[in-house]
Amino acid sequence: MQALDVRLNSKDESERLFAVQDIMGANLPDAALLLAARLGIEESQVVRDAVVFSLKSMPCSKIFGGLFDYFRSPDAYLRNAAVSILGRDGDEAIAFLTSHLDDADREVRKLILDALFQIGSQYAVLAIRACLHDKSPNVQITAVEYLGRLEDKASIPEMLALLEGESEPMLRATILESLCIMGNGVSIAKILSILMPGGDPSQIDPYYLPQALGLVARAGALEDVYRVIDAVQDTSSYADDIMRAIGQSKRRFKESFDSARLLDKVLAVAGDNEAREDVRYSAVAHILGKNCGSLASEKIYALGCSLIAEEAMSYAGVRLLACCDMASGKEKISEVMETTNDEDLRALCLELMAQD
């Protein structure tokens, strides 16, 4: 033991590294104490990593206090290492960690939550749930996020109560994100009643629109999907959220989903040159889909004409012109075919013309 300790504190990096490996293999009763002490003073990254790896594979109850001290270290590596080691020690570490949940330092309390999340057992979930009512909003936010990722459905009533009673925007947004992961129809209805006073979707705070769209798409009633999406006025800012919600709703409701109800909103996204290109293409794909082609021929024609003037959207534009079911659409495609220098675009025009 003494010889290993001498080697572990050698000036030679390789000697220290081999000592860590030998200590790990020797199964010594105080191995964790030796390695934890070395971790706090080690400067070599490769040796540090070897120490952390070794500590993760051995019982560490004797060094819980020392690891907890690292939570206050200015060195981020030591803080993260302590979290990862404690996060591997199961129920014994839970008992230690929960005994410190009243620590005065909110950053320490957040690190405790990080370790509990890594453990992830039911007992760890219960401990995280207790932090929903922490005095620090940042700690509450972390607890809400972790409970959502662990899909702790038993915490839904408490989260709904927080959503209704708290005003801190980031906390409310995180609650909505977590409820989006694990909410059901009943909880969605409650959330919408909180976000939409009087049942008016236009009253939803724009800050929470992405979460509201995700919630109705995942578990809301079909009529709520239409109402919330239709209430969004700023298509540039929420184009991605709108199209994700529409896509998820189409998969959920299948034939019951009425494409005509949201066609104007999708047309607006497709024509919005401030929206991301991939999102606009997603909107065009929706328009080209089943039951959309004959719903608003003139609007689709106008959008197609607009998009062919944009180099990045010209392919989408000619496809819309082909599906608008108007003679002027075919004429416009012929015009594009004759004037473009893009051979691939010309080939697409020929293909679309031949389909008639």
Side-chain angles (χ1 to χ4, degrees):
M1 182 77 169
Q2 186 176 1
L4 286 171
D5 190 17
V6 170
R7 292 171 56 204
L8 189 61
N9 290 283
S10 168
K11 292 182 179 180
D12 183 84
E13 179 188 70
S14 298
E15 187 66 22
R16 297 198 305 278
L17 183 60
F18 289 134
V20 171
Q21 295 170 349
D22 289 344
I23 290 171
M24 182 179 175
N27 197 28
L28 299 169
D30 291 328
L33 291 170
L34 281 177
L35 294 176
R38 185 66 216 177
L39 181 61
I41 59 174
E42 182 58 58
E43 296 181 356
S44 164
Q45 191 59 50
V46 67
V47 178
R48 277 179 146 193
D49 290 344
V51 170
V52 172
F53 178 81
S54 298
L55 286 171
K56 286 182 178 181
S57 65
M58 62 179 63
C60 288
S61 58
K62 291 183 178 181
I63 61 166
F64 283 170
L67 292 172
F68 188 74
D69 288 341
Y70 290 150
F71 279 8
R72 305 183 194 280
S73 171
D75 185 340
Y77 182 90
L78 285 177
R79 297 196 302 271
N80 292 332
V83 166
S84 66
I85 295 166
L86 284 163
R88 293 291 295 270
D89 255 80
D91 290 346
E92 195 169 2
I94 292 172
F96 174 84
L97 291 166
T98 54
S99 70
H100 290 82
L101 279 174
D102 59 352
D103 193 278
D105 189 332
R106 69 180 183 184
E107 295 305 319
V108 169
R109 299 198 302 277
K110 283 181 64 179
L111 291 170
I112 291 173
L113 286 177
D114 292 344
L116 290 169
F117 174 70
Q118 287 194 26
I119 295 170
S121 69
Q122 186 55 41
Y123 289 117
V125 167
L126 291 173
I128 295 171
R129 201 185 299 166
C131 294
L132 287 174
H133 305 285
D134 192 275
K135 59 187 177 183
S136 164
N138 287 340
V139 176
Q140 288 180 288
I141 288 167
T142 302
V144 168
E145 178 189 348
Y146 286 162
L147 290 171
R149 290 167 64 181
L150 292 167
E151 297 192 37
D152 177 37
K153 291 182 171 57
S155 67
I156 289 177
E158 286 183 79
M159 288 195 191
L160 288 171
L162 280 175
L163 180 67
E164 192 164 19
E166 295 286 343
S167 59
E168 210 288 327
M170 275 298 297
L171 174 58
R172 299 186 89 217
T174 308
I175 291 170
L176 291 171
E177 293 282 1
S178 289
L179 291 174
C180 191
I181 295 171
M182 58 186 182
N184 53 33
V186 174
S187 61
I188 299 304
K190 175 63 175 176
I191 293 164
L192 292 178
S193 72
I194 295 170
L195 295 180
M196 303 188 317
D200 182 0
S202 67
Q203 296 300 307
I204 298 175
D205 187 324
Y207 187 81
Y208 305 120
L209 265 176
Q211 292 85 6
L213 288 165
L215 282 162
V216 293
R218 182 185 184 277
L222 181 54
E223 195 60 35
D224 287 332
V225 172
Y226 296 142
R227 291 170 61 227
V228 173
I229 293 176
D230 197 47
V232 181
Q233 299 301 313
D234 184 357
T235 56
S236 297
S237 298
Y238 301 104
D240 194 10
D241 303 297
I242 290 168
M243 294 315 303
R244 273 205 306 267
I246 288 174
Q248 188 167 7
S249 298
K250 287 172 71 175
R251 291 190 294 273
R252 272 186 68 208
F253 295 104
K254 300 180 173 60
E255 297 301 321
S256 299
F257 187 86
D258 183 0
S259 298
R261 290 285 297 271
L262 296 171
L263 184 59
D264 284 346
K265 190 66 63 177
V266 178
L267 287 165
V269 171
D272 191 336
N273 58 18
E274 293 185 15
R276 286 203 328 264
E277 185 180 311
D278 62 312
V279 177
R280 298 177 73 191
Y281 266 98
S282 174
V284 170
H286 175 82
I287 297 166
L288 294 171
K290 183 179 179 183
N291 298 328
C292 276
S294 61
L295 294 175
S297 295
E298 292 185 2
K299 291 179 180 179
I300 294 174
Y301 171 77
L303 177 61
C305 291
S306 174
L307 294 188
I308 61 173
E310 299 182 45
E311 182 178 355
M313 299 297 295
S314 57
Y315 285 74
V318 295
R319 288 190 181 279
L320 289 171
L321 291 170
C323 89
C324 73
D325 198 27
M326 295 175 64
S328 52
K330 297 294 185 183
E331 293 170 4
K332 201 71 176 177
I333 293 174
S334 295
E335 181 183 319
V336 171
M337 187 168 55
E338 293 170 3
T339 58
T340 185
N341 293 319
D342 185 332
E343 292 301 323
D344 290 334
L345 181 58
R346 182 179 289 112
L348 175 61
C349 291
L350 282 168
E351 177 188 335
L352 293 173
M353 293 290 286
Q355 290 175 3
D356 190 9

